[in-house]
Amino acid sequence: MCYSYECSDRYVDRKETVIMWGAGLVLLLAIATEIGATALLPRAEGFTHPGWSAVVLVGYAVSIWLLAIVVRTLPVSVTYAVWSGVGTAVVAVIGYWFLGESMGWVKATSLALIVIGVTGVSGSGKSSLINETLAPALLRKLGLSAPRPGPFAA
């Protein structure tokens, strides 16, 4: 048997894996930069304080630049959903914990829906993994009639 990406479409090239992980790390850096800039936004006092305004604007510019790098590798729909959703949720939690903002049931539920939405968008491209590989394998394991599990098309 061959357990190499050269023999099967089920194995991913090591270089491709490194590129995907790198894009994920750059996305996390973009999110962290955007969160930092947003958390510092109250210090800019409506952009009347020049120093803090510059920090916030540079933070947003760096975050967008990093996001532009990520979309070279990852789909823009997934990238933007993760960037904006995680950023929104984390900034809301920071606002609650550190900036004295309220957190009622409506806000908490809305944040949960954001997380569910981001998960749905980022996971929607994995339908072939579920429908063509995992589900048939599970059904066959349970002794039920199912087609032979197929390859996962990323």
Side-chain angles (χ1 to χ4, degrees):
M1 288 193 110
C2 179
Y3 294 102
S4 165
Y5 67 90
E6 296 163 341
C7 302
S8 173
D9 57 357
R10 290 181 187 231
Y11 295 95
V12 179
D13 183 3
R14 184 175 184 85
K15 181 179 177 184
E16 185 178 326
T17 301
V18 170
I19 290 170
M20 294 297 286
W21 275 99
L25 291 174
V26 173
L27 179 57
L28 288 176
L29 184 59
I31 292 168
T33 305
E34 186 264 339
I35 289 169
T38 303
L40 293 173
L41 196 54
R43 300 245 177 158
E45 298 174 5
F47 292 109
T48 59
H49 191 284
W52 286 112
S53 297
V55 170
V56 168
L57 291 174
V58 167
Y60 283 138
V62 168
S63 181
I64 294 294
W65 173 67
L66 292 170
L67 198 63
I69 291 171
V70 173
V71 298
R72 293 180 189 169
T73 304
L74 301 176
V76 70
S77 61
V78 172
T79 302
Y80 186 71
V82 171
W83 179 78
S84 62
V86 171
T88 300
V90 171
V91 167
V93 171
I94 288 172
Y96 174 70
W97 282 346
F98 301 109
L99 303 176
E101 296 180 7
S102 65
M103 178 70 75
W105 71 270
V106 172
K107 192 181 225 180
T109 302
S110 298
L111 290 173
L113 290 172
I114 288 171
V115 171
I116 291 168
V118 167
T119 304
V121 169
S122 65
S124 64
K126 297 172 181 65
S127 60
S128 70
L129 172 64
I130 294 167
N131 295 333
E132 298 171 15
T133 305
L134 298 178
L138 176 63
L139 291 173
R140 289 171 69 104
K141 189 73 169 170
L142 295 173
L144 302 172
S145 175
R148 188 163 190 250
F152 166 55

